[in-house]
Amino acid sequence: MCAKTKKVLFIGVRNKYCCICQKASNNNMDPKDHFCFKNCNLPSTAMETDIIVEGDGDSSVMKRLHLAKPYGDDFVIKKIECSNHILRNYVKKLKDNSTKRRTTRGVNIPGNIRQAIKDRILRLR
């Protein structure tokens, strides 16, 4: 999305499935001539990265963008955090901390705090 105009600049689509090809495969036949929508054999987790590199960050994409250099060697790409990713990661960490006795760094999480997270915060989702 363009920062100035707030308009979408690029849309990429990746499909791993085509109903015509699948139906032919189920019947052990070759598919008839058709416009096939299947355009990707990547794992689902790699599709977003592939689209962003094609069009233009998500932290999983930054390395590929720096390697691909879609705007040339002289252009520096800066990461701008997406509010959806920030919120999703925050809630994921809250869920993890509400079910574990220790954080990934080894810090103890008291039971009353874990219970409060479950009762007061995660209940709102």
Side-chain angles (χ1 to χ4, degrees), residues 3 8 17 25 32 42 47 50 69-70 72 84 103 113 124:
V8 175
Y17 182 82
S25 175
K32 63 180 181 177
L42 295 171
M47 288 181 176
D50 192 53
K69 298 182 182 177
N84 290 335
T103 66
I113 292 177
L124 299 174

PDB file of all heavy atoms in Angstrom, residues 3 8 17 25 32 42 47 50 69-70 72 84 103 113 124:
ATOM      1  N   ALA A   3       2.199   4.729   0.951  1.00  0.00           N
ATOM      2  CA  ALA A   3       2.113   5.521   2.176  1.00  0.00           C
ATOM      3  C   ALA A   3       1.381   6.837   1.940  1.00  0.00           C
ATOM      4  O   ALA A   3       0.667   7.318   2.812  1.00  0.00           O
ATOM      5  CB  ALA A   3       3.509   5.786   2.717  1.00  0.00           C
ATOM      6  N   VAL A   8      -3.712   0.359  -2.869  1.00  0.00           N
ATOM      7  CA  VAL A   8      -2.991  -0.881  -3.080  1.00  0.00           C
ATOM      8  C   VAL A   8      -2.130  -0.750  -4.327  1.00  0.00           C
ATOM      9  O   VAL A   8      -2.599  -0.315  -5.378  1.00  0.00           O
ATOM     10  CB  VAL A   8      -3.969  -2.068  -3.235  1.00  0.00           C
ATOM     11  CG1 VAL A   8      -3.239  -3.340  -3.578  1.00  0.00           C
ATOM     12  CG2 VAL A   8      -4.791  -2.241  -1.966  1.00  0.00           C
ATOM     13  N   TYR A  17      -3.991 -25.353  -6.133  1.00  0.00           N
ATOM     14  CA  TYR A  17      -5.073 -26.277  -6.445  1.00  0.00           C
ATOM     15  C   TYR A  17      -5.835 -25.818  -7.686  1.00  0.00           C
ATOM     16  O   TYR A  17      -6.087 -24.624  -7.870  1.00  0.00           O
ATOM     17  CB  TYR A  17      -6.032 -26.342  -5.249  1.00  0.00           C
ATOM     18  CG  TYR A  17      -7.175 -27.296  -5.417  1.00  0.00           C
ATOM     19  CD1 TYR A  17      -7.009 -28.654  -5.174  1.00  0.00           C
ATOM     20  CD2 TYR A  17      -8.421 -26.854  -5.813  1.00  0.00           C
ATOM     21  CE1 TYR A  17      -8.050 -29.541  -5.318  1.00  0.00           C
ATOM     22  CE2 TYR A  17      -9.475 -27.734  -5.961  1.00  0.00           C
ATOM     23  CZ  TYR A  17      -9.288 -29.077  -5.718  1.00  0.00           C
ATOM     24  OH  TYR A  17     -10.327 -29.954  -5.857  1.00  0.00           O
ATOM     25  N   SER A  25      -7.299 -36.028 -12.195  1.00  0.00           N
ATOM     26  CA  SER A  25      -6.388 -36.881 -11.443  1.00  0.00           C
ATOM     27  C   SER A  25      -7.149 -37.954 -10.663  1.00  0.00           C
ATOM     28  O   SER A  25      -6.723 -39.114 -10.605  1.00  0.00           O
ATOM     29  CB  SER A  25      -5.547 -36.030 -10.494  1.00  0.00           C
ATOM     30  OG  SER A  25      -4.744 -36.825  -9.684  1.00  0.00           O
ATOM     31  N   LYS A  32      -8.504 -31.974 -19.489  1.00  0.00           N
ATOM     32  CA  LYS A  32      -8.790 -31.381 -20.794  1.00  0.00           C
ATOM     33  C   LYS A  32      -8.103 -30.021 -20.884  1.00  0.00           C
ATOM     34  O   LYS A  32      -7.633 -29.478 -19.867  1.00  0.00           O
ATOM     35  CB  LYS A  32     -10.298 -31.244 -20.991  1.00  0.00           C
ATOM     36  CG  LYS A  32     -10.962 -30.321 -19.988  1.00  0.00           C
ATOM     37  CD  LYS A  32     -12.442 -30.233 -20.228  1.00  0.00           C
ATOM     38  CE  LYS A  32     -13.046 -29.277 -19.203  1.00  0.00           C
ATOM     39  NZ  LYS A  32     -14.444 -29.074 -19.387  1.00  0.00           N
ATOM     40  N   LEU A  42       5.071 -24.185  -4.184  1.00  0.00           N
ATOM     41  CA  LEU A  42       5.759 -23.900  -2.933  1.00  0.00           C
ATOM     42  C   LEU A  42       4.899 -24.327  -1.754  1.00  0.00           C
ATOM     43  O   LEU A  42       3.675 -24.414  -1.867  1.00  0.00           O
ATOM     44  CB  LEU A  42       6.022 -22.394  -2.823  1.00  0.00           C
ATOM     45  CG  LEU A  42       6.963 -21.776  -3.844  1.00  0.00           C
ATOM     46  CD1 LEU A  42       6.921 -20.255  -3.724  1.00  0.00           C
ATOM     47  CD2 LEU A  42       8.368 -22.279  -3.622  1.00  0.00           C
ATOM     48  N   MET A  47       4.441 -18.988   0.359  1.00  0.00           N
ATOM     49  CA  MET A  47       3.693 -18.230  -0.645  1.00  0.00           C
ATOM     50  C   MET A  47       3.713 -16.727  -0.379  1.00  0.00           C
ATOM     51  O   MET A  47       3.921 -15.929  -1.288  1.00  0.00           O
ATOM     52  CB  MET A  47       2.252 -18.720  -0.726  1.00  0.00           C
ATOM     53  CG  MET A  47       2.103 -20.047  -1.364  1.00  0.00           C
ATOM     54  SD  MET A  47       0.360 -20.468  -1.408  1.00  0.00           S
ATOM     55  CE  MET A  47       0.431 -21.989  -2.311  1.00  0.00           C
ATOM     56  N   ASP A  50       7.021 -15.258  -1.251  1.00  0.00           N
ATOM     57  CA  ASP A  50       7.203 -15.214  -2.691  1.00  0.00           C
ATOM     58  C   ASP A  50       6.446 -14.044  -3.312  1.00  0.00           C
ATOM     59  O   ASP A  50       6.960 -13.354  -4.191  1.00  0.00           O
ATOM     60  CB  ASP A  50       6.749 -16.546  -3.298  1.00  0.00           C
ATOM     61  CG  ASP A  50       7.164 -16.694  -4.735  1.00  0.00           C
ATOM     62  OD1 ASP A  50       8.368 -16.538  -5.023  1.00  0.00           O
ATOM     63  OD2 ASP A  50       6.293 -16.974  -5.583  1.00  0.00           O
ATOM     64  N   LYS A  69      17.190  -7.620  -4.301  1.00  0.00           N
ATOM     65  CA  LYS A  69      17.446  -6.229  -4.700  1.00  0.00           C
ATOM     66  C   LYS A  69      16.513  -5.782  -5.832  1.00  0.00           C
ATOM     67  O   LYS A  69      16.967  -5.424  -6.915  1.00  0.00           O
ATOM     68  CB  LYS A  69      18.908  -6.053  -5.099  1.00  0.00           C
ATOM     69  CG  LYS A  69      19.855  -6.341  -3.970  1.00  0.00           C
ATOM     70  CD  LYS A  69      21.280  -6.122  -4.365  1.00  0.00           C
ATOM     71  CE  LYS A  69      22.143  -6.482  -3.178  1.00  0.00           C
ATOM     72  NZ  LYS A  69      23.542  -6.388  -3.432  1.00  0.00           N
ATOM     73  N   PRO A  70      15.199  -5.801  -5.586  1.00  0.00           N
ATOM     74  CA  PRO A  70      14.250  -5.498  -6.662  1.00  0.00           C
ATOM     75  C   PRO A  70      14.345  -4.060  -7.177  1.00  0.00           C
ATOM     76  O   PRO A  70      13.899  -3.785  -8.281  1.00  0.00           O
ATOM     77  CB  PRO A  70      12.886  -5.767  -6.021  1.00  0.00           C
ATOM     78  CG  PRO A  70      13.122  -5.647  -4.556  1.00  0.00           C
ATOM     79  CD  PRO A  70      14.526  -6.092  -4.321  1.00  0.00           C
ATOM     80  N   GLY A  72      17.364  -2.291  -7.255  1.00  0.00           N
ATOM     81  CA  GLY A  72      18.749  -1.988  -7.585  1.00  0.00           C
ATOM     82  C   GLY A  72      19.637  -2.008  -6.354  1.00  0.00           C
ATOM     83  O   GLY A  72      19.179  -2.060  -5.215  1.00  0.00           O
ATOM     84  N   ASN A  84      -0.994  -5.835  12.084  1.00  0.00           N
ATOM     85  CA  ASN A  84      -1.577  -7.177  12.217  1.00  0.00           C
ATOM     86  C   ASN A  84      -0.548  -8.173  12.726  1.00  0.00           C
ATOM     87  O   ASN A  84      -0.845  -9.005  13.578  1.00  0.00           O
ATOM     88  CB  ASN A  84      -2.131  -7.660  10.878  1.00  0.00           C
ATOM     89  CG  ASN A  84      -3.363  -6.907  10.472  1.00  0.00           C
ATOM     90  OD1 ASN A  84      -4.074  -6.364  11.307  1.00  0.00           O
ATOM     91  ND2 ASN A  84      -3.621  -6.848   9.184  1.00  0.00           N
ATOM     92  N   THR A 103       9.224 -18.816  30.732  1.00  0.00           N
ATOM     93  CA  THR A 103       9.313 -18.229  29.399  1.00  0.00           C
ATOM     94  C   THR A 103      10.430 -18.921  28.638  1.00  0.00           C
ATOM     95  O   THR A 103      11.172 -19.727  29.191  1.00  0.00           O
ATOM     96  CB  THR A 103       9.623 -16.719  29.473  1.00  0.00           C
ATOM     97  OG1 THR A 103      10.929 -16.549  30.026  1.00  0.00           O
ATOM     98  CG2 THR A 103       8.593 -15.975  30.292  1.00  0.00           C
ATOM     99  N   ILE A 113      -0.395 -15.187  37.804  1.00  0.00           N
ATOM    100  CA  ILE A 113      -0.274 -14.342  36.606  1.00  0.00           C
ATOM    101  C   ILE A 113      -0.744 -15.116  35.376  1.00  0.00           C
ATOM    102  O   ILE A 113      -1.459 -14.577  34.527  1.00  0.00           O
ATOM    103  CB  ILE A 113       1.170 -13.831  36.430  1.00  0.00           C
ATOM    104  CG1 ILE A 113       1.488 -12.842  37.550  1.00  0.00           C
ATOM    105  CG2 ILE A 113       1.358 -13.187  35.063  1.00  0.00           C
ATOM    106  CD1 ILE A 113       2.900 -12.328  37.544  1.00  0.00           C
ATOM    107  N   LEU A 124     -11.063 -12.212  26.033  1.00  0.00           N
ATOM    108  CA  LEU A 124     -11.613 -11.166  25.179  1.00  0.00           C
ATOM    109  C   LEU A 124     -11.515 -11.504  23.693  1.00  0.00           C
ATOM    110  O   LEU A 124     -12.197 -10.893  22.889  1.00  0.00           O
ATOM    111  CB  LEU A 124     -10.861  -9.846  25.427  1.00  0.00           C
ATOM    112  CG  LEU A 124     -10.952  -9.305  26.864  1.00  0.00           C
ATOM    113  CD1 LEU A 124     -10.063  -8.090  27.015  1.00  0.00           C
ATOM    114  CD2 LEU A 124     -12.385  -8.987  27.214  1.00  0.00           C
TER     115      LEU A 124
END
